[in-house]
């Protein structure tokens, strides 16, 4: 029983850390979107 509780708590901690790292306003997903937007704007400014 104790091992199962420890495993569940560990999984919850890992999921919470993952969500806080990738989600949110300063998370990885947001940074990737901003980077893609900047690259797209740079490419659009290139004149042929």
């Amino acid at each position: 029983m104790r091992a199962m509780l420890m495993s569940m708590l560990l999984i919850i901690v890992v999921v919470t850390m993952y969500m806080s790292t990738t989600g949110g306003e300063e998370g990885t997903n947001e940074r990737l979107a901003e980077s893609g937007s900047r690259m797209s704007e740079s490419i659009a400014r290139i004149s042929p």
Side-chain angles (χ1 to χ4, degrees):
M1 183 71 176
R2 181 177 176 189
M4 186 167 57
L5 177 62
M6 294 297 286
S7 297
M8 287 174 38
L9 288 174
L10 180 62
I11 290 171
I12 290 171
V13 167
V14 169
V15 169
T16 303
M17 287 177 63
Y18 175 78
M19 294 301 289
S20 67
T21 302
T22 60
E25 293 181 9
E26 295 184 12
T28 306
N29 290 335
E30 185 65 31
R31 288 184 182 182
L32 283 174
E34 289 174 4
S35 178
S37 176
R38 279 183 285 164
M39 283 190 284
S40 135
E41 290 171 3
S42 296
I43 292 170
R45 284 193 305 255
I46 296 174
S47 44

